[in-house]
Amino acid sequence: MSTLVNFKIDGVDCLAEAGIYLVEAAAENGIYIPTLCNIQGVKPRGACRICTVMVNGRPMTACTTPVTMGMEIQNDTPEINDIRKAIIEVLFVEGNHFCPSCEKSGCCELQALAYRFRVMVPRFPFLFPRREVDASNPKIIKDHNRCILCKRCIRAIKTEDGKNIFAYKKRGIELEIIIDPELGGKITDELAQKSVDICPVGALLPREKAYQVPIGRRKYDIEPIGIEDEKK
Amino acid sequence: MGQKITIEPVTRVEGHGKVTIHLDDKGNVKQTRLHIVEFRGFERFVQGRPYWEAPVLVQRLCGICPVSHHLAAAKALDVIVGAGTGDGLTPTGEKMRRLMHYGQVFQSHALHFFHLASPDLLFGIDGDPLIRNVIGVALKHKDLAVQGVMMRKFGQEIIKATAGKKIHGTGAIPGGINKNLSIEERDSFLKGADPMNADKMVEWAQAAVDFFKGYHKANKALIDGFATFPSSHLSLVRKDGAMDLYHGVLRAIDTNGKKILDDVDYQDYLDYIDEEVRPWSYMKFPYLYNIGPEEGWYRVGPLARCNTADFIPSPLAQKELEIFKAYTNGKPNNMSMHMHWARLIETLHSAEMMRELLNDPDLQKDDLVVKGTKVKRGVGLIEAPRGTLFHHYEINDQDQIEMANLIVSTTNNNEPMNRAVNSVAVEYMTGQKEITEGMMNAVEVAIRAYDPCLSCATHALGQMPLEITLYDANNNLIDKKRS
Ligand code: SF4
Ligand code: FES
């Protein structure tokens, strides 16, 4: 039998099952904690830090921290939101994100977060890295310009017998997502679509299916990011 | 050593240009040049991108007529995805795109006439620049200024309903369109409260043509004589010779009206059109290959289209075209200021076409996209507000763009604009030692008639930031004027 625990987010009394991650516990109480690298149902990685909250005065990633009795959590404060905004800005300047022509525009989590946190002009200089488009896979085009290295694709996309299709090569700022040439070459339509959908940005693209949803009917045209949790 | 006069930047054209006028020792105009600073980086930016991005990416070339680039690119990609060369789309696909295009031409022409050109007509070429602008029009001729704003708004709403956004939408996709027109959207245009409905737009467009004709009657010398020079004219026309701004075959006529290109499938444009590079200009000079760079240049845009088309397939505009053609006894019209007349006839045609399309039930159907056998190369042409626009793409085996070639309307009009400036310079500056405001303005007015998009900035408003520098025969600075 699960135990329920009491905790507070921004002074509001909350109740959730002990041991679930803070992002989920918050959502169950109608509170949105932004996430980017996290995907429900897959072991969290804590890679992007956008979900940073203060737990009993210390910064923690809400996607990796289980909730416990009596926790005092700060979430929606000017200081924390500015840290989140800075992280979004870093992601923008560190890649080449040209939203105006990106097919993921309107469905992109990074863009949606930038709107939510009102990113205007980034405080950091643009790096304009030289990155390639890799269109060699028959079903998925990989645009390294837009990859934010969240590794969702690595963690969530597996063959039926549990093998990874996505992996990474190189290190640090040079790190790059690769598709296993053999397994990737045989990827099913379904799994290819799942990869494209799981990528929070436009770094994994399906062939010949761009811009099919008209402006006004795209995911975040209909409802900005975070609202779903806040409606609960 | 002659004198060199520099006028820059040119105001009230979309962008930034610079005119140099070279005088000889006797003060005669030796040579004029219009320098257009236009960096065509887009042909390079798109390399390596998945081909379907082109219509959305390349439209960023322009904030005034992005729809033209959006559609020309989409038409080129129709060919690549095997959806035919202009006639293969579903009725809904083609008609939604046409509606988008007529909305675009309508709003762009309205902007040009009411906001950019009408100040020249209402206040005269020599008019005080402090009032010879759109604010001046708004103060003195409020009704005209308001009409201009509302017509532009109507066109932009049409674009939004078809492309998803007023500027830089995503509506046209390879092989068709991503949405149809809902009944609510349709009714908002057909039954909108005055003045925001299609009937009123037709009425206002007709009134604008009538306004021009009245003005013409009273100012014949200016309208007929200003920057007039013979040239060839090129545009798309429908197979049967009708004006068609969305699709057709290439036709060119010479200054006597003789067809020098007819019924040409634009997929083969490279067999007929070449571009000359001149060391002093960033912008190339297109010409008809079989005639050569000296004589093969041509005009594009409203004047060219009214010259090349045999008729206009909408009744009110056709009536006006008959009057237009009768004025030159059926011969090609070579008067630069008649560009405004032609532009207004097209505005009327666009209004009529929008109304016709809005009443077409095909726009509510759901069959939006077609695809066939993929090929590696596609060319898309459209009659943009400013003239014929060429998009040409080639892709590799992995769906990436390998090559892009764009010839934009303003490039097509490069030589004609240079000729227009020259004709004005000869008329106004021969034997003059000082540059009057009127002379500077005349150069601007001549360029503006072509409605060029010189780069991306807009100088529609405000005081003219003009600077004139005058050198004597020994290259000494003798005068410098700034406004
Ligand atoms: S490709 Fe997409 S899902 Fe994979 S790491 Fe990059 S951004 Fe994340
Ligand atoms: S969502 Fe928690 S670190 Fe990325």
Side-chain angles (χ1 to χ4, degrees), chain B residues 40-61:
Chain B
R40 295 163 67 187
F42 277 84
E43 290 162 333
R44 186 72 187 76
F45 300 155
V46 297
Q47 280 175 21
R49 301 303 315 170
Y51 71 78
W52 48 85
E53 283 185 7
V56 178
L57 214 167
V58 176
Q59 64 179 338
R60 300 266 161 183
L61 262 165

Side-chain angles (χ1 to χ4, degrees), chain B residues 287-461:
Chain B
Y287 63 92
L288 296 178
Y289 192 67
N290 57 349
I291 303 183
E294 277 301 308
E295 300 292 324
W297 58 278
Y298 49 81
R299 277 191 257 210
V300 298
L303 187 70
R305 292 188 288 247
C306 283
N307 280 326
T308 52
D310 299 327
F311 66 99
I312 295 182
S314 69
L316 298 174
Q318 167 60 15
K319 238 196 205 135
E320 296 302 331
L321 183 72
E322 284 165 17
I323 300 169
F324 177 89
K325 285 196 185 276
Y327 192 74
T328 51
N329 298 317
K331 290 268 168 229
N333 185 325
N334 286 312
M335 295 169 261
S336 287
M337 293 299 270
H338 286 222
M339 189 80 95
H340 297 303
W341 189 0
R343 193 174 285 118
L344 290 170
I345 295 173
E346 289 187 348
T347 312
L348 178 58
H349 172 54
S350 302
E352 289 183 282
M353 294 309 287
M354 284 193 291
R355 184 167 63 182
E356 189 185 310
L357 282 164
L358 285 166
N359 280 299
D360 189 328
D362 277 347
L363 290 190
Q364 276 78 49
K365 294 190 178 148
D366 290 318
D367 198 2
L368 304 180
V369 180
V370 276
K371 281 189 183 165
T373 313
K374 202 149 75 182
V375 295
K376 296 270 173 58
R377 174 186 190 271
V379 179
L381 260 69
I382 200 159
E383 283 299 327
R386 289 149 187 83
T388 319
L389 169 64
F390 299 62
H391 278 223
H392 168 189
Y393 300 98
E394 288 179 21
I395 64 167
N396 66 16
D397 288 333
Q398 301 184 347
D399 292 332
Q400 291 167 290
I401 295 172
E402 221 164 44
M403 194 285 292
N405 187 35
L406 314 177
I407 308 177
V408 303
S409 322
T410 298
T411 304
N412 281 310
N413 268 335
N414 198 358
E415 181 67 26
M417 285 192 295
N418 271 279
R419 301 270 170 155
V421 169
N422 183 63
S423 115
V424 170
V426 169
E427 187 187 335
Y428 280 74
M429 297 199 180
T430 299
Q432 301 287 334
K433 289 214 176 69
E434 262 188 40
I435 305 146
T436 62
E437 186 73 46
M439 288 155 91
M440 285 162 56
N441 297 346
V443 172
E444 279 190 62
V445 170
I447 297 170
R448 186 145 58 239
Y450 292 83
D451 192 11
C453 45
L454 297 187
S455 64
C456 311
T458 305
H459 303 282
L461 280 183

Side-chain angles (χ1 to χ4, degrees), chain A residues 100-101 103 133 135-136 141 143 145-146 206-208 210-212 214-215 217, chain B residues 49 51-53 56-57 60 164-165 169-170 173 178-179 371 374 398-400:
Chain A
S101 59
E103 37 275 72
V133 174
S136 57
I141 293 184
D143 187 345
N145 293 289
R146 301 169 182 161
R207 277 183 202 274
E208 307 186 326
Y211 315 108
Q212 281 178 340
I215 295 170
R217 288 187 225 152
Chain B
R49 301 303 315 170
Y51 71 78
W52 48 85
E53 283 185 7
V56 178
L57 214 167
R60 300 266 161 183
K165 257 166 87 193
T170 60
I173 53 178
N178 68 11
K179 76 186 286 280
K371 281 189 183 165
K374 202 149 75 182
Q398 301 184 347
D399 292 332
Q400 291 167 290

Side-chain angles (χ1 to χ4, degrees), chain A residues 23 34-38 45-52 61-64:
Chain A
V23 270
T35 59
L36 199 47
C37 67
N38 195 45
R45 180 68 171 245
C48 74
R49 324 307 278 184
I50 195 96
C51 63
T52 299
T61 44
C63 68
T64 57

